[in-house]
Amino acid sequence: MEQYDLVIIGAGPSGYAAAMRAVDLKKKTLLIEKSVLGGAGITNGALSSKTLWELSRDMLAFRKNLDRYHMQSPKAVWKEIQLEVQNAVEERVDLLKSHLHELQKNLKYSPYIDFIAGEASIVSEHIVEIETSNERLAFETENIIIATGSRPRYLPNIPIDEKHILTSDGIEQMDDFPKSMVIVGAGVIGCEYATIFSGFGQTKVYLIDKGDSILPFEDPDVVAVIEKNLEAQGVHIHRSSSLTHMERKNGKVVYKLDFSDGHQETFEVDKALVSVGRVPNYENLWKEAVPIKMGQRGVEDNDTKTSVKNIYAVGDITADINLVNVGELEGRYAVEKIFGTPVKKLVYENISTIMFLNPEVAGVGYNEKTAQEKGLNYKVVTTDYSTIARAVAKRNTQGFIKLLVTDDEEMKILGMRVVGEQASAAIQAVALLINMNKGIEELAECVHPHPSITEGIQESVRALLNKSILKSGLLKDKVNCYCYNCEKNERAMI
């Protein structure tokens, strides 16, 4: 029986990253994938949906510019959109395949990496079996990393068929733009798809929201911008509503809602998208003799280590944050933990995120809701995009920068949200400072390119230091600083 230092089950973002780190450390590694290299990070997930978002954003901007020149807007062709998404997915998968192939040909790397396409099963703590298309294989290994990812969550009372009632696995396989669509779930993914389909301008979108507002984990000022734009694009938000029934009827989708004020309504649409989270892929992955503990949301892990001493879990199969960048981080970290000591501890508080909405929303660290839940006193500055020359030049000043720091002399950065054009490009410097546990002085005097969105971050920092060009509170809703006292639960302008 062939032996390995490490067997990795799943070649999505976390598994592939883990394998490449093991290659760095010259450990004999077997990577196993039963479906497609890249996993849901590429197919029916991050890359494919974000390609849809980019195309939708282009179409929305195109329509707006045509209005400016009094020209009639053409319609997007779904088959062409679908083909572009498929091309993006194939490009990325081909890149990973080519890279893996070159690794296995290269004498420097080939002793450390093998790949098998098949379905794996952990028979014991050190034995992994693989069922391929024509044989069953078994291998011995010192260590195992589980990186099998996740799939869309189904609700028991919704008859999902991936034709009329869909999840993200089926949404890209539609024959055409539906004339109407309801989205169940007003979290990040639901709001992203509402943004995408309303942006193309050919689908009336309905969004079911159990609460009073979408994105319930975000601050109200962030939510207000996104809600305003969704509704401006024709999205109807069913606020304070509960889905009580959904069925396929005569080629349509009929759904019934109970509202918090006691009344009921029934609606009919062409398609429904169920976006209520994801569940880990672990079924039939290990035998009963392997005592891996499961929690309510996935495999229980302590710093990527499972209840079995030589088996680790990374990515969406755990109860941690389900993001591609987090999965890659966990995969690399687990390998370093197995074969040595990681240089840095694995932390989740300062992960950079982006929500592909209209406009995009980038974040790192705490927002006000989180800071208040943790009982922190803080200072905050908000700087409107209308004060940033680059945003003015782009003729798109909707959005703002919001920076939280500790309410003391050090003013260490707690978190930031950027809502607006190029938000994701503006956040990384602050993410680095948070990771380094630094204050804001470094940003105050850094010379930023002009004009750029990051100049707005610099002006925000200067406002907190009382040396801004635009003084806080003088221009209504442009630049404002205030402090929050946790014990008193009150704000005070600075």
Side-chain angles (χ1 to χ4, degrees), residues 253-314:
V253 177
V254 177
Y255 65 99
K256 183 182 292 185
L257 298 178
D258 283 356
F259 291 86
S260 59
D261 63 3
H263 83 283
Q264 293 182 333
E265 286 189 56
T266 301
F267 302 85
E268 182 181 274
V269 292
D270 290 329
K271 302 285 185 184
L273 171 62
V274 179
S275 179
V276 290
R278 299 179 69 85
V279 294
N281 296 321
Y282 68 91
E283 292 83 0
N284 304 315
L285 185 55
W286 57 81
K287 304 297 184 183
E288 289 185 9
V290 184
I292 297 174
K293 290 183 180 178
M294 290 290 298
Q296 290 185 340
R297 294 175 52 206
V299 172
E300 289 186 0
D301 72 293
N302 180 13
D303 212 28
T304 71
K305 193 172 185 178
T306 72
S307 53
V308 180
K309 64 180 181 180
N310 69 310
I311 300 179
Y312 293 71
V314 298

Side-chain angles (χ1 to χ4, degrees), residues 196-251:
I196 289 167
F197 282 96
S198 62
F200 282 120
Q202 293 175 230
T203 303
K204 174 65 179 178
V205 178
Y206 299 85
L207 184 61
I208 299 175
D209 177 21
K210 292 189 297 184
D212 296 328
S213 68
I214 61 174
L215 304 170
F217 49 85
E218 271 300 345
D219 291 340
D221 50 1
V222 174
V223 173
V225 174
I226 304 306
E227 282 189 338
K228 178 182 177 182
N229 280 355
L230 284 174
E231 291 177 327
Q233 289 171 222
V235 176
H236 180 88
I237 302 173
H238 293 303
R239 290 184 175 85
S240 303
S241 61
S242 176
L243 179 67
T244 58
H245 182 72
M246 179 176 281
E247 65 176 334
R248 303 182 300 272
K249 189 173 183 180
N250 300 324

Side-chain angles (χ1 to χ4, degrees), residues 472-492:
S472 173
L474 296 183
L475 299 171
K476 185 180 179 182
D477 298 326
K478 302 296 185 186
V479 181
N480 286 303
C481 295
Y482 55 88
C483 59
Y484 172 82
N485 186 289
C486 182
E487 292 180 2
K488 297 180 180 179
N489 190 27
E490 64 182 21
R491 296 178 178 179

